[in-house]
Amino acid sequence: MSDARPAAVIVLAAGEGTRMKSKTPKVLHRIGGDTLLGHALRAAKGADAASTVVVIRHQRERVAAFIDERNAEANAPVLVADQDEVKGTGRAAECGLSALPADLTGTVVVTMGDVPLLTAETVSELTARHEHAGAAVTVITSVLENPKSYGRVIRDADGDVERIVEVKDATESERAVREINSGIYAFDAAVLRRELANVGTDNAQGEKYLTDVLALARAAGGRVSAHVLDDLWQTEGVNDRAQLADLGRELNARTCRRHMQAGVTIVDPATTWIDVDVSIGADTTILPGTQLLGATSIGEDAVIGPEVTLTDCEVGDGASIKRAEAHLAVIGAGATVGPYSYLRPGTELGAKGKIGGFVETKNARIGEGAKVPHLTYCGDAVIGEGANIGAGTIFANYDGVTKGRTNVGRHSFVGSNSVLVAPVDIADGAYVAAGSAITSAVDPGQIAIARGQQRNVDGWVDRRRAGTATADAAHAAAQTARADRSADQTGPASTPSPNTPS
Ligand code: UD1
Ligand code: CA
């Protein structure tokens, strides 16, 4: 029954959305990694609609630009229809129809651009029920404790849907009805076209109501049925920022549940935010405070979190990332990242590699098993497999004018607190001594030492810091050393201190 496919989906998105109090059109506000309109389009696409039309008016350029951008990535382009100055959902649907072939037949589903949780399955099911019943119109309804300002579903003595009445036009007893119109319908294309032409604007709002099509279709002998949906979230619309947050949280809860059902452990779904396109392998564990965003994909058996934000990242099987931020980075299988690491675009960490605490990387390919464990900036670099970058190493990639590249060869070892001034090459199997400022190439097997020679000045503390605690300590140490020396010469052999190398 659910293999039915709508001939078209018309998404109504011309309304103003004033309660958002926003410069951004309502349908372009985002939850779960996509815009509200984007979610509506996913439902249409998932239901395999032959055509999809979005009806726009308010801020039409921005909404149309969003659709164009999306069309550039998709092979089934979404059509745009402009609503004119005639107001109302009926007019919007009519404008949507005008973008479709005049002889279109089959089922036309009407949805709304600000109802993001409606699923493709529900659109398919609505279409299937509608076609199975041979109905002229099928409307999705819900029974609510508080039916608020929704249109009320008026049924006849037999329980068939007779009409929908808007609250502003309703009598007291009609307002008491708790079954509401979700605003999502399946229509027979010919009936919709014919009856929209008969809809007037004689109502409290002076608008052309789409809901009037139901009574007209029935009067013309068509069957009007209802598809009662228990899952109220699916038909919930966004009108203000509080509802945006509520629906965002619910979408996230549903996304988390989907991953948990597929074998992912999510310790705290309430503080874990996962965008709808993210993929996660089985037996991966997500710890609290983690955000997995954009097109991020994570392999199996990984441990992500706590407090990790990944945007458009690729993470291999068995990797472990804690307290880190990464964008457009690739993290290899079995690699470890964090805590307190910042991976910027173009970071590629090889299998079993390590990026440790207080390390920032950018455009850096770090080989298999290579380690950048502590306090480093590593930009525009290639680091060979098994290399080790000492604590506090800085890849100085920018001279104020141009950016240069640094290569560190396989199994090479860069001592702590070195500066590698790009462009510079350190070959395979080479060493850099701690504290070096490297400005020219180091060949295989060499150690480069690029720092001032150590020089010790006797008696400096006594002369320049006389009377300080430091000077006192120096005197005491000198006295102890003298006493030890005379004891060695006169007394029995002293036991060596444990700190003295033997
Ligand atoms: C409409 C229904 C109401 C239903 C409710 C569900 C009508 C007359 N009433 O209410 O029975 O309970 O939806 O939410 O249809 N839109 C346009 N062009 C317009 C007006 C609206 O495209 O001229 C779009 C809006 O962008 C929105 C959708 O249609 O996506 C619904 O509009 P809205 O004003 O929120 O719904 P109501 O008319 O209040
Ligand atoms: Ca309205």
Side-chain angles (χ1 to χ4, degrees):
M1 189 157 122
S2 62
D3 57 355
R5 144 173 212 246
V9 173
I10 298 176
V11 182
L12 307 187
E16 261 194 69
T18 42
R19 278 176 283 167
M20 293 299 282
K21 307 229 167 85
S22 178
K23 292 180 284 299
T24 301
K26 175 164 80 174
V27 293
L28 298 191
H29 280 263
R30 303 174 72 87
I31 58 173
D34 202 352
T35 62
L36 300 181
L37 179 56
H39 289 293
L41 294 175
R42 284 167 188 260
K45 189 170 185 183
D48 204 17
S51 312
T52 302
V53 185
V54 182
V55 183
I56 61 178
R57 178 173 165 84
H58 181 70
Q59 295 219 50
R60 71 116 18 226
E61 296 309 325
R62 287 189 61 184
V63 182
F66 168 77
I67 295 167
D68 281 350
E69 206 176 290
R70 216 173 170 91
N71 280 346
E73 300 158 10
N75 45 7
V78 169
L79 305 170
V80 167
D82 285 290
Q83 187 174 352
D84 54 21
E85 54 293 326
V86 179
K87 286 204 163 91
T89 49
R91 184 57 177 176
E94 208 170 15
C95 295
L97 265 187
S98 69
L100 295 164
D103 57 354
L104 182 81
T105 57
T107 302
V108 174
V109 170
V110 175
T111 67
M112 297 191 276
D114 55 3
V115 176
L117 265 58
L118 180 73
T119 65
E121 292 69 38
T122 298
V123 174
S124 297
E125 206 176 295
L126 170 68
T127 307
R129 278 171 174 250
H130 171 78
E131 291 180 356
H132 192 73
V137 187
T138 305
V139 53
I140 295 185
T141 70
S142 297
V143 178
L144 302 187
E145 274 314 313
N146 171 14
K148 297 183 270 192
S149 62
Y150 285 107
R152 305 296 201 266
V153 177
I154 309 301
R155 293 184 182 247
D156 66 14
D158 299 328
D160 291 335
V161 177
E162 193 177 283
R163 62 199 160 90
I164 288 168
V165 61
E166 295 305 293
V167 167
K168 286 177 177 154
D169 303 297
T171 64
E172 189 102 6
S173 66
E174 285 169 341
R175 260 179 236 176
V177 171
R178 287 170 44 228
E179 184 178 15
I180 60 94
N181 168 26
S182 71
I184 295 155
Y185 326 75
F187 294 96
D188 175 76
V191 171
L192 180 62
R193 191 178 309 108
R194 187 186 70 222
E195 300 306 344
L196 276 173
N198 297 326
V199 172
T201 56
D202 182 17
N203 52 55
Q205 302 186 82
E207 294 184 358
K208 205 163 173 172
Y209 287 170
L210 179 57
T211 45
D212 285 354
V213 169
L214 277 72
L216 290 168
R218 187 177 145 108
R223 177 154 183 216
V224 177
S225 37
H227 176 29
V228 186
L229 203 64
D230 295 329
D231 181 3
L232 302 178
W233 287 106
Q234 281 204 46
T235 56
E236 193 76 25
V238 172
N239 292 303
D240 57 32
R241 311 255 185 167
Q243 286 170 321
L244 185 72
D246 288 345
L247 285 171
R249 191 177 340 97
E250 179 59 25
L251 175 59
N252 187 61
R254 290 176 181 218
T255 302
C256 285
R257 209 173 305 143
R258 167 163 60 84
H259 287 294
M260 291 189 280
Q261 276 158 359
V264 176
T265 293
I266 299 177
V267 172
D268 184 17
T271 63
T272 301
W273 292 85
I274 304 178
D275 281 353
V276 292
D277 285 330
V278 169
S279 67
I280 310 175
D283 283 321
T284 281
T285 297
I286 312 294
L287 297 169
T290 293
Q291 302 183 77
L292 305 176
L293 307 177
T296 293
S297 75
I298 295 170
E300 299 184 357
D301 304 311
V303 179
I304 313 295
E307 307 286 341
V308 166
T309 299
L310 304 179
T311 307
D312 298 326
C313 289
E314 195 184 313
V315 179
D317 294 344
S320 151
I321 308 175
K322 64 175 73 154
R323 296 186 205 282
E325 164 109 23
H327 179 206
L328 282 168
V330 178
I331 294 154
T336 63
V337 174
Y340 309 108
S341 319
Y342 179 29
L343 280 59
R344 293 164 53 200
T347 297
E348 286 179 36
L349 177 61
K352 296 203 166 86
K354 179 185 174 87
I355 293 175
F358 303 101
V359 171
E360 175 179 339
T361 60
K362 184 215 74 174
N363 194 16
R365 215 163 72 226
I366 299 167
E368 214 177 298
K371 293 185 164 66
V372 189
H374 330 274
L375 301 158
T376 286
Y377 172 66
C378 175
D380 299 317
V382 176
I383 297 173
E385 63 169 76
N388 187 92
I389 308 299
T393 298
I394 303 298
F395 288 65
N397 60 329
Y398 184 50
D399 62 8
V401 182
T402 52
K403 296 215 166 128
R405 300 195 58 86
T406 301
N407 295 308
V408 176
R410 298 171 51 238
H411 298 286
S412 287
F413 188 100
V414 176
S416 295
N417 200 36
S418 294
V419 186
L420 310 179
V421 182
V424 71
D425 287 323
I426 294 155
D428 294 351
Y431 266 69
V432 168
S436 292
I438 299 296
T439 53
S440 58
V442 184
D443 291 337
Q446 292 185 326
I447 183 168
I449 306 164
R451 63 183 183 222
Q453 190 82 42
Q454 181 169 336
R455 185 167 69 97
N456 296 357
V457 181
D458 287 333
W460 187 93
V461 170
D462 226 5
R463 290 195 302 279
R464 306 295 288 268
R465 296 291 183 269
T468 64
T470 308
D472 292 348
H475 281 291
Q479 227 153 35
T480 309
R482 270 198 301 276
D484 284 354
R485 266 199 305 279
S486 60
D488 276 353
Q489 282 156 14
T490 59
S494 67
T495 41
S497 108
N499 288 332
T500 307
S502 47

